[in-house]
Amino acid sequence: MNVEASKGTALSDGAPLREDVQNPTGKPLPKVHQGTTRMFSNNWLEKLSRVHPATPLILFVPVVLVSLWLSVAKGGFSPAQTAGATLIGYLGWTVAEYWMHRGIFHLKIRGPQTRRLYFLIHGVHHDYPWDLSRLVFPPGASILLCVLFFGLFRFVLGPLQMYPYFAGFVGGYIIYDTTHWYIHAHVPRTRFGRWLRREHMIHHFKTPTARFGVSCPWLDHVFRTTGEPDTPRI
C-alpha cells in the first residue's frame, strides 16, 4: 500500500496529496505543522509550487518602473500628478488584497472539490506557515493576475491614463508579497514591523476568520474584521 494513501490522502496527477486541510471557519483551530509537505504528486507541478522570495521583485519592479515612465512620457502626467495617482493605485491594491484574502483565499468549503481548491490556494500555507518556499505567489498566478488587472485598468482608465494608477497597484502587490515573506521568515525589529507580524500571526494561530490585511491591517478596523481582542504570544 502506498504510504501516503494509507494516511488518508488522495493521489492523482495534479491533485493535492492532503485531504485533512484546515477548516477555515476557525472552529476548531487545526493543528499547525512544521516543515513542508507535497502539494502535488506530479513532480513538475510540485516544483512550480515553490517560489524564491525575490521573484515578485524580479518580475514586477520593471513593470512599475516602465509604467511610471509611460505616465510622464506618454500619459502627460507631471511628476506630482504621477505621485498622486500612484498613491491612489497603491490604496486600490490594499483594498484588493484585503478582499482577495477574505473572499477568495478563505473561500467556504462546501465539499471535496472546494476543499482541494482551498488547499491549493491558501490552505497549505495555513497548515505549514513556516514553509519558506511557499510564502509568495507562484509566477504563473501573479503574472496572470497582473495581465487581468492590466486589462481592467486599461478598460476603465484608458490606454495612457492608466499607467500611474497601475504602477501603484503593482507596487502594492510587491509590498504585500515581500511583507508576507518577511514577517514569516524573520522577526521584525521596528515597532511597525512587529505590529504587522503580530496582526498576521493572530490570523494564523488564533482567528483565521479575521485579520485579513497582511500589508494593510488597518482595513480590518475599517471592515470590522479584527476578531477577538485578546491576543496570543508571538
Side-chain angles (χ1 to χ4, degrees):
M1 178 182 292
N2 186 290
V3 175
E4 293 291 343
S6 68
K7 295 180 180 179
T9 58
L11 292 176
S12 61
D13 285 348
L17 293 173
R18 295 189 63 241
E19 291 290 350
D20 54 332
V21 298
Q22 179 196 21
N23 176 359
T25 63
K27 295 181 179 181
L29 192 66
K31 180 181 179 181
V32 171
H33 304 279
Q34 296 293 328
T36 187
T37 189
R38 285 186 67 97
M39 288 181 67
F40 303 98
S41 58
N42 181 284
N43 289 333
W44 178 246
L45 291 176
E46 175 66 18
K47 184 177 180 179
L48 291 177
S49 74
R50 301 182 184 276
V51 186
H52 191 279
T55 301
L57 294 169
I58 294 171
L59 289 178
F60 295 108
V61 166
V63 174
V64 172
L65 295 178
V66 171
S67 296
L68 291 174
W69 176 78
L70 288 171
S71 302
V72 177
K74 302 294 184 179
F77 288 83
S78 69
Q81 290 171 331
T82 298
T86 300
L87 177 60
I88 293 173
Y90 164 73
L91 294 175
W93 162 261
T94 63
V95 175
E97 173 195 320
Y98 172 89
W99 282 106
M100 283 193 293
H101 191 183
R102 179 176 175 178
I104 299 176
F105 294 0
H106 284 271
L107 60 89
K108 293 183 179 180
I109 293 177
R110 302 184 183 278
Q113 297 303 317
T114 53
R115 181 179 294 273
R116 290 186 178 186
L117 182 60
Y118 169 71
F119 175 76
L120 290 172
I121 294 174
H122 198 55
V124 65
H125 174 56
H126 270 265
D127 282 357
Y128 293 85
W130 310 122
D131 182 354
L132 301 187
S133 68
R134 292 190 175 119
L135 294 178
V136 299
F137 272 45
S142 60
I143 292 173
L144 176 61
L145 286 173
C146 184
V147 171
L148 291 175
F149 278 109
F150 179 89
L152 178 62
F153 274 71
R154 184 182 176 90
F155 175 76
V156 173
L157 299 174
L160 296 179
Q161 298 297 306
M162 62 164 283
Y163 282 110
Y165 302 97
F166 186 66
F169 191 87
V170 176
Y173 160 69
I174 296 171
I175 293 171
Y176 154 75
D177 239 358
T178 304
T179 299
H180 186 236
W181 165 78
Y182 186 78
I183 60 181
H184 275 275
H186 300 277
V187 177
R189 296 184 178 182
T190 66
R191 184 175 181 179
F192 179 69
R194 290 195 301 270
W195 176 64
L196 288 177
R197 186 175 190 269
R198 172 180 172 274
E199 294 295 300
H200 190 55
M201 293 303 111
I202 291 171
H203 169 73
H204 268 280
F205 301 116
K206 189 172 181 64
T207 54
T209 55
R211 317 247 178 165
F212 297 106
V214 178
S215 69
C216 51
W218 47 88
L219 286 184
D220 286 293
H221 295 273
V222 174
F223 295 111
R224 299 182 180 180
T225 52
T226 55
E228 301 175 32
D230 53 321
T231 62
R233 293 183 180 180
I234 55 174

